[in-house]
């Protein structure tokens, strides 16, 4: 079945350093890959997403890269700040042509700690 | 626009009882998806509703059910509650649903359900 793996499960970086979170997905039918940030006790918030026809997307200090051949995508956060500390979830949309099967599956999450 | 609203925020029940959770999507959004979030399992997809019809379903027992009304508001019901049902239940709305047409999902704050 469809699956999204995410690594690492925990990540600690010094303030100002970069953080990279990697995800792999199981099925080449995926074409949409959002990333969510969830602070403690709060709702998941969409921070960036990428479509399958794009290899990279950047928004200020956040960037996402996609390698469809290898079926993996990554989140890059540069110049990390303490407020970046949160759990980050990657996700992939699985859709099968000709069917109504269409769902977004989430990775298990990465707990990022930015140390001042 | 108002965000996704979930009620109640907290709920305490005992084993064997049933519970109904409510979700009001962002105005204009027609799709509502429900997720169960637990520390060990991350975000697990329960089901998705679109135009009052369940369009997709995750791997949860029949005790978990839902419905959607003509105004797109959705309810989720869990019958015969078990200890393992303790979790944060999140709903997410989007224009089309499941990442369809690459529309992002927006989450509510969730209902934290505790089973005693």
């Amino acid at each position: 079945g469809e699956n999204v793996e995410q690594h690492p499960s925990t990540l600690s970086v010094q303030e100002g350093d970069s953080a990279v979170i990697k995800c792999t997905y199981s099925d080449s039918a995926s074409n949409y890959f959002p990333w969510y940030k969830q602070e403690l006790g709060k709702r998941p918030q969409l921070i960036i997403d990428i479509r399958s026809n794009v290899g990279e997307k950047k928004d200020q200090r956040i960037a996402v890269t996609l390698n469809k051949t290898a079926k993996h995508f990554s989140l890059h956060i540069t110049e990390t700040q303490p407020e970046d500390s949160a759990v980050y979830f990657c996700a992939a949309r699985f859709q099968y042509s000709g069917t109504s099967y269409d769902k977004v599956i989430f990775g298990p999450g990465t707990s990022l700690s930015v140390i001042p | 626009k108002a965000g996704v609203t979930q009620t109640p925020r907290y709920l305490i029940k005992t084993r064997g009882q049933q519970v109904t959770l409510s979700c009001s999507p962002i105005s204009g959004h027609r799709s509502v998806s429900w997720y169960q979030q637990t520390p060990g399992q991350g975000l697990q997809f329960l089901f998705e509703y679109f135009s009052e019809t369940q369009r997709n379903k995750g791997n949860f027992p029949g005790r978990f059910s839902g419905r959607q009304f003509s105004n797109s508001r959705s309810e989720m019901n869990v019958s015969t509650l078990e200890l393992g049902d303790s979790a944060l239940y999140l709903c997410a709305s989007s224009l089309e649903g499941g990442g369809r047409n690459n529309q992002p999902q927006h989450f509510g704050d969730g209902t934290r359900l505790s089973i005693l």
Side-chain angles (χ1 to χ4, degrees):
Chain A
E2 62 279 349
N3 186 48
V4 176
E5 295 184 354
Q6 184 172 349
H7 300 280
S9 57
T10 60
L11 179 60
S12 290
V13 299
Q14 291 289 333
E15 182 178 357
D17 287 349
S18 295
V20 180
I21 302 170
K22 298 181 179 181
C23 290
T24 59
Y25 56 98
S26 59
D27 201 296
S28 56
S30 302
N31 61 3
Y32 174 64
F33 308 91
W35 285 87
Y36 287 84
K37 173 185 179 182
Q38 187 176 30
E39 296 176 71
L40 192 63
K42 296 190 176 181
R43 68 182 71 184
Q45 296 266 16
L46 179 73
I47 55 172
I48 196 167
D49 56 13
I50 191 167
R51 277 66 171 171
S52 59
N53 60 344
V54 176
E56 183 174 359
K57 183 177 179 180
K58 190 173 182 180
D59 182 3
Q60 299 182 340
R61 296 186 297 109
I62 295 173
V64 57
T65 59
L66 171 65
N67 184 327
K68 284 210 73 179
T69 302
K71 291 189 286 187
H72 67 67
F73 56 113
S74 301
L75 178 72
H76 304 254
I77 306 174
T78 58
E79 300 171 24
T80 54
Q81 301 166 5
E83 50 266 38
D84 294 330
S85 296
V87 177
Y88 291 80
F89 293 94
C90 64
R93 174 196 176 202
F94 291 86
Q95 183 196 31
Y96 298 99
S97 178
T99 74
S100 63
Y101 189 89
D102 182 331
K103 62 174 68 169
V104 175
I105 303 297
F106 286 78
T110 296
S111 179
L112 172 64
S113 297
V114 179
I115 304 165
Chain B
K1 281 184 178 178
V4 178
T5 304
Q6 290 188 248
T7 57
R9 289 294 311 278
Y10 303 93
L11 206 48
I12 299 175
K13 292 285 186 178
T14 57
R15 281 181 298 173
Q17 288 187 308
Q18 73 167 10
V19 67
T20 299
L21 313 181
S22 179
C23 173
S24 293
I26 292 171
S27 178
H29 285 193
R30 299 168 64 192
S31 167
V32 174
S33 295
W34 288 89
Y35 296 86
Q36 181 194 66
Q37 186 175 30
T38 58
Q41 298 296 319
L43 279 157
Q44 299 291 313
F45 173 75
L46 280 153
F47 28 64
E48 182 219 356
Y49 286 87
F50 182 84
S51 292
E52 302 178 64
T53 301
Q54 186 182 89
R55 194 159 60 175
N56 285 290
K57 191 176 187 304
N59 298 321
F60 279 80
R63 300 185 297 107
F64 292 81
S65 63
R67 59 178 176 169
Q68 187 180 34
F69 302 94
S70 58
N71 61 357
S72 294
R73 189 177 72 83
S74 177
E75 288 182 348
M76 182 190 126
N77 183 273
V78 188
S79 62
T80 320
L81 287 165
E82 300 176 0
L83 292 177
D85 296 334
S86 294
L88 179 66
Y89 290 88
L90 291 160
C91 83
S93 76
S94 64
L95 282 171
E96 294 291 333
R100 194 180 299 266
N101 295 325
N102 299 325
Q103 294 295 324
Q105 293 179 308
H106 299 273
F107 283 87
D109 287 327
T111 294
R112 184 161 298 280
L113 176 62
S114 299
I115 311 302
L116 303 180

